[in-house]
Amino acid sequence: MQILMVEGVFLILLIVITLSIILNRDLLATVVMFCAFSFCASLLYLIMGAPDVAFTEAVIGVVSTVFFVILLRSVDRWCKK
Amino acid sequence: MKRRFGGMILDCAFRIMIPFMVLYGLYVLLHGEHTPGGGFQAGGMIAIAIVCVRLILGTQSNLRDLGAKAALWAGVGTFIYLLTGLVCVLRGGNFLEYEYLPFFFQEAAQYHKAGIMLIETGVTVCVAATIVNILDAVIERVDEDDSDD
């Protein structure tokens, strides 16, 4: 029962983070929230009993976040309305 | 990055951390049979260490020439994988049938362990080199855009 509650908390967090990514206009904040999404997904995989997938998700989340932050130097940080 | 990214604190902190990151990558590779992990994750860990060095030190890094050779190293990793399979074929087995590898073990399980370790090494080299190659393309793009401004 407790493990189901933890799963539910992480699923709700995933939905909230996704909504904040969609509604945000600051691209740097979007990239940081994407990293948080990756972290929550990784913990969710760990709870569901797939540590291998969780490890891969953690590594790839870090690498893609670093690449997005570097690429922010060549685009504008703020979206136009 | 032509410009270096970090100041003194990042520089000193990562000088201590990066050997441990590479060591953890090697641990994940070599201990991957018993614990979660394997070639892909180990390659990712080693690539993160190289990416951190190149971002923090910029052009002062000793690894700056690695970008030109990263595609070559990705080919080397794929070649290790292919060679392991083709040696088995040349010695009379199927592709990646590890019992036909030229080792002198007694049991079939030891042949399996050695063969899987060889192909995981190939996967590690290929993944790490590919991530460094992508980083190099990204940095080249960003530097072009910086020089336009």
Side-chain angles (χ1 to χ4, degrees), chain A residues 52 56 59 67 70 73-74, chain B residues 1 3 37 41 135 142 145-146:
Chain A
D52 223 352
T56 312
V59 169
F67 284 168
I70 297 170
R73 280 168 61 113
S74 64
Chain B
M1 294 280 158
R3 232 169 18 138
Q41 287 91 337
L135 174 80
V142 171
D145 287 353
D146 275 355

Side-chain angles (χ1 to χ4, degrees), chain A residues 59, chain B residues 25 28-29 38-48 123-125 127-129 131:
Chain A
V59 169
Chain B
V28 168
L29 168 65
F40 189 85
Q41 287 91 337
M45 295 289 303
I46 294 172
I48 288 172
V123 170
T124 303
V125 174
V127 168
I131 291 178

